[in-house]
Amino acid sequence: MDGVISVFHSHPTTSRLHTTRSWNFINLLEGIGDPNPPNAQDLLLKENYGKDVIVGVLDTGVWPESESFNDNGMDPVPRSWKGICQNGVAFNSSQCNRKLIGARYYLRSYEAYYGALNTGLDFRSPRDINGHGTHTSSTIGGRRVPNASSIGGLGSGTATGGAPLVRLAIYKVCWPIPGQTDSTCLDDDMLAAFDDAIADGVHVISVSIGTNTSTPFKNDGTAIGALHAVKRNIVVACSAGNSGPTTSSVSNVAPWIITVGASSIDRTFSSPIVLGNDLIIEGQSVTPFGNRTYPLVYASDVENPGTTTNLTTGLCLQGTLSPALVRGKAVFCWIGDTFETLEVQRAGGVATVLGNTYDGRGVLGSPYLIPATVVYFNKIDIFNYIETNQNPNVTLIQPKTLLGTKPNPFMAPFTSRGPSAIEPNILKPDITAPGLNILAAWSEVSSPLNVHADKRVIKYNIESGTSMACPHVAAVAALLKAIHPDWSSAAIRSAIMTTAKITNNVGTQITNSQGNIATPFDYGAGHIQPSKAADPGLVYNASYNDYLLFLCSSTGNSLDPSIKCPQQLPSPSDLNYPSLSIAHLKGSRTVKRTVTNVGTKSSSYSVRINPPQGYLVQISPTTLDFSAVGESKSFSITITAQSTAKKSVFAVGWYTWSDGIHQVRSPITVASP
């Protein structure tokens, strides 16, 4: 039929949710090593806090009563808004205001697959029963709320979104899977939401949803919906996924999307433990408790016979612990999180020492129901102490919030990595932003742990995921849209990428959670610097037709039935992107790039090259002279493999254009077969 782009199964297990110090940390990080550090307040004032920009959020809905969504002192709703506030269960149109200007929900595909929504599991309305959508929305545009904190007062301070006066439009597309704790977000429901958001008049769309691996563009509802949005110059930011640190696990890899990885901030919730032999072991916790000493046992020593194997012993899995051996004690679980603490509690344990789920420093904070600390080094010391002492004990030290911790940021261990499995000739992710232990607003019918056993009610919660990183970039895009309303979505992505930072708050290169140097396959172009992005100097533009040509060269299908692919196609690497990736370089290849001057009227840029190891990089011309704002100049990049190039392994480099004021930096990734 005319107008049909592709047909694919909207599978209920494909897309999942990718789940307040962060804005202060971003500003602090921007000033490290800068003789003229940017001022975040000046940036917000210049951009009127994003007051006329509308951000659409595809997620689990919203808790409208949160103080983060108050509209005190805000101007009337922009005249450009054409959306609605949809009535539903426990939600009516009066709950929209000048901050929360629209809300819709989408159930058609979900109910076609699962049957009628179980109203005991969720509201048949835009109201958020999960908490995830409220968290992401308030991170983008939440008002300033003093004295906000996680349960127990941890992380206390002023909660704020990145663009406090931006308008929010909520599109609820994710719903609980019957009989499971996960939610699902079906492609056709999301496509319907994209269509409505475009028609409603949003300027930016934030999607903290994705798959565990990348999906071919023609079968990717988010990619197709985002392409429609970008055609109308709407910026789309998406989470990179939480399947790291596995290589090629990044999702949402379409080049018209800003793909966001997750990194840490300079806030730690310190909670060390002290063993009975006085050995102190570093730990972290966001569970409120007081100092106390407990008898300590190792899970493997207190298991019900026959419930574990050599591979599962010591893990505190459900039903494995013996109440007779656990009651009144603290249990050391070799690896653990929420469900492991629930198992200890079920067996009568009163505290838990958990080995970190990931290697290294990246601890995902969860407010457990019993005292618990997560240790990330020296687990073997705990094991040896228990096994060599007749009456081992442990003292858990109550958590405290530490600010200014170093080195930060580091890449969150869960953040999905490149290269893209769909099109490695486009570098993904594009950027990294805070996504580890982020405090933001929460649904008051969703407990902190989001499990049935947890009956606590909270207004703000700490969450981790690329889901938390994506709204940081969406907020920055909204601010850039406010100050540069004529910029294309590609120009905004370019400004965010080429001004990014690859060093931490001690001036060394960003690492992963294990302390190893990170690469563009971890963080893309680097860590966001919003104030720098407002004045990038040069931008790499791309149009809707450029993306269609890219699709022709990448997949042979333009995703637009009105466009036929030309016979002679460029390489996917030729897309005018702010980064350069060549996945199968045989000998030498030349690609073209074009930059547009958005800085000073008269300027001259020279190039500096840090070539990937084993490759020769030549750029011509080496100087670009501009005489007007809006003027564009093209240059060629020739990459040649040397005899020292490692085969089938990506090497990493950079090239940077500078006029002495602006540093327009682009990563290079290249591999030879």
Side-chain angles (χ1 to χ4, degrees):
M1 294 173 60
D2 288 343
V4 174
I5 294 172
S6 66
V7 178
F8 58 95
H9 182 201
S10 179
H11 202 282
T13 62
T14 298
S15 292
R16 294 283 189 273
L17 299 165
H18 279 160
T19 285
T20 28
R21 167 74 176 175
S22 56
W23 291 109
N24 283 338
F25 172 64
I26 290 169
N27 183 236
L28 289 170
L29 187 67
E30 284 188 286
I32 299 290
D34 189 339
N36 299 298
N39 187 300
Q41 190 64 32
D42 288 347
L43 175 69
L44 286 169
L45 288 171
K46 186 192 299 184
E47 297 170 347
N48 288 319
Y49 295 79
K51 71 182 182 70
D52 290 325
V53 177
I54 304 166
V55 180
V57 186
L58 274 63
D59 214 297
T60 64
V62 69
W63 189 261
E65 291 84 2
S66 172
E67 190 60 25
S68 290
F69 305 123
N70 81 77
D71 66 350
N72 296 337
M74 292 188 68
D75 289 346
V77 174
R79 292 183 179 180
S80 62
W81 174 245
K82 300 178 178 63
I84 63 170
C85 194
Q86 187 177 5
N87 291 320
V89 175
F91 194 100
N92 60 62
S93 59
S94 66
Q95 287 169 310
C96 288
N97 57 22
R98 291 170 295 181
K99 156 61 66 178
L100 201 63
I101 64 172
R104 298 177 185 258
Y105 67 97
Y106 301 82
L107 267 170
R108 186 171 180 179
S109 179
Y110 175 89
E111 293 192 323
Y113 193 91
Y114 290 108
L117 174 70
N118 181 345
T119 54
L121 296 178
D122 205 341
F123 298 103
R124 193 180 187 85
S125 76
R127 182 171 289 278
D128 182 13
I129 204 170
N130 179 286
H132 189 278
T134 301
H135 199 283
T136 57
S137 301
S138 63
T139 300
I140 297 167
R143 305 297 299 278
R144 289 177 174 167
V145 180
N147 303 316
S149 70
S150 177
I151 192 166
L154 290 165
S156 179
T158 298
T160 183
L165 294 186
V166 81
R167 316 307 176 114
L168 295 170
I170 307 302
Y171 300 86
K172 182 177 177 180
V173 295
C174 301
W175 305 87
I177 300 174
Q180 298 185 29
T181 57
D182 285 341
S183 295
T184 184
C185 322
L186 280 91
D187 277 304
D188 34 3
D189 283 338
M190 290 203 296
L191 279 167
F194 267 109
D195 281 347
D196 282 341
I198 293 166
D200 288 346
V202 305
H203 303 101
V204 177
I205 297 176
S206 181
V207 186
S208 290
I209 299 166
T211 55
N212 290 330
T213 57
S214 47
T215 304
F217 301 132
K218 68 176 182 177
N219 298 335
D220 185 340
T222 300
I224 293 170
L227 184 62
H228 292 168
V230 169
K231 183 179 183 181
R232 291 156 181 83
N233 211 23
I234 298 167
V235 184
V236 181
C238 294
S239 47
N242 300 330
S243 299
T246 305
T247 299
S248 293
S249 55
V250 62
S251 66
N252 293 320
V253 296
W256 48 88
I257 287 169
I258 306 176
T259 308
V260 188
S263 43
S264 67
I265 61 175
D266 66 338
R267 178 180 62 194
T268 300
F269 301 100
S270 176
S271 178
I273 66 169
V274 183
L275 299 177
N277 60 1
D278 294 328
L279 181 64
I280 300 173
I281 295 177
E282 285 299 318
Q284 295 181 29
S285 180
V286 296
T287 303
F289 57 81
N291 296 355
R292 187 174 169 185
T293 301
Y294 307 91
L296 178 63
V297 294
Y298 178 43
S300 185
D301 299 328
V302 291
E303 291 168 348
N304 292 312
T307 60
T308 63
T309 67
N310 289 339
L311 296 177
T312 61
T313 187
L315 300 183
C316 298
L317 299 183
Q318 184 176 3
T320 61
L321 299 182
S322 165
L325 300 175
V326 168
R327 188 171 294 111
K329 297 181 174 66
V331 179
F332 171 45
C333 308
W334 189 256
I335 293 174
D337 198 356
T338 300
F339 291 101
E340 288 72 20
T341 63
L342 293 175
E343 170 61 11
V344 171
Q345 187 178 20
R346 178 203 65 80
V350 291
T352 316
V353 177
L354 300 165
N356 194 15
T357 305
Y358 298 96
D359 292 336
R361 294 193 297 140
V363 175
L364 282 63
S366 295
Y368 303 118
L369 292 172
I370 58 176
T373 290
V374 179
V375 296
Y376 42 97
F377 295 127
N378 307 110
K379 288 195 297 183
I380 193 66
D381 291 335
I382 304 173
F383 170 80
N384 289 336
Y385 166 71
I386 295 172
E387 298 303 310
T388 57
N389 283 269
Q390 195 166 15
N391 296 299
N393 65 70
V394 64
T395 301
L396 270 62
I397 306 298
Q398 67 180 21
K400 62 179 178 179
T401 306
L402 301 180
L403 300 179
T405 56
K406 298 176 180 180
N408 280 293
F410 58 83
M411 297 308 301
F414 55 77
T415 189
S416 291
R417 267 62 171 190
S420 165
I422 300 300
E423 182 47 86
N425 292 296
I426 294 292
L427 175 62
K428 290 288 180 172
D430 292 310
I431 199 76
T432 189
L436 183 65
N437 296 330
I438 305 301
L439 181 71
W442 199 246
S443 166
E444 292 186 42
V445 290
S446 177
S447 64
L449 293 179
N450 231 328
V451 295
H452 183 71
D454 189 0
K455 306 298 183 183
R456 296 170 294 179
V457 175
I458 55 170
K459 294 185 177 182
Y460 290 84
N461 198 22
I462 290 172
E463 283 284 287
S464 296
T466 55
S467 281
M468 285 63 247
C470 174
H472 283 84
V473 172
V476 173
L479 292 174
L480 295 181
K481 198 78 171 175
I483 195 171
H484 301 293
D486 57 331
W487 279 12
S488 68
S489 62
I492 288 174
R493 178 189 58 229
S494 174
I496 291 171
M497 290 176 63
T498 61
T499 59
K501 191 169 190 173
I502 61 170
T503 53
N504 55 31
N505 58 0
V506 295
T508 59
Q509 288 192 53
I510 295 172
T511 68
N512 62 20
S513 61
Q514 295 172 279
N516 301 317
I517 299 297
T519 76
F521 293 121
D522 301 307
Y523 54 60
H527 192 279
I528 55 168
Q529 299 195 99
S531 298
K532 301 279 190 183
D535 181 23
L538 304 175
V539 294
Y540 293 80
N541 255 315
S543 67
Y544 175 70
N545 286 336
D546 291 330
Y547 295 130
L548 297 188
L549 186 60
F550 159 82
L551 282 166
C552 287
S553 61
S554 177
T555 68
N557 182 342
S558 70
L559 290 184
D560 186 332
S562 67
I563 303 294
K564 290 186 177 181
C565 292
Q567 288 187 339
Q568 287 194 329
L569 293 170
S571 163
S573 302
D574 283 307
L575 178 66
N576 197 41
Y577 214 69
S579 58
L580 172 59
S581 187
I582 301 176
H584 303 287
L585 178 64
K586 295 179 179 179
S588 181
R589 185 179 302 172
T590 298
V591 299
K592 177 185 172 184
R593 289 290 189 268
T594 301
V595 288
T596 301
N597 179 27
V598 294
T600 54
K601 178 180 178 181
S602 179
S603 55
S604 179
Y605 286 81
S606 58
V607 71
R608 183 176 70 255
I609 303 170
N610 300 96
Q613 188 172 3
Y615 295 87
L616 175 66
V617 178
Q618 296 170 297
I619 293 180
S620 180
T622 57
T623 302
L624 301 175
D625 295 317
F626 297 91
S627 58
V629 175
E631 183 180 4
S632 296
K633 297 279 186 178
S634 297
F635 57 94
S636 64
I637 308 171
T638 301
I639 301 184
T640 305
Q642 309 287 81
S643 60
T644 55
K646 294 182 179 179
K647 303 300 181 184
S648 302
V649 175
F650 273 98
V652 173
W654 308 85
Y655 71 91
T656 305
W657 291 101
S658 177
D659 64 349
I661 300 172
H662 305 94
Q663 304 293 323
V664 188
R665 189 170 46 82
S666 296
I668 303 169
T669 59
V670 58
S672 297

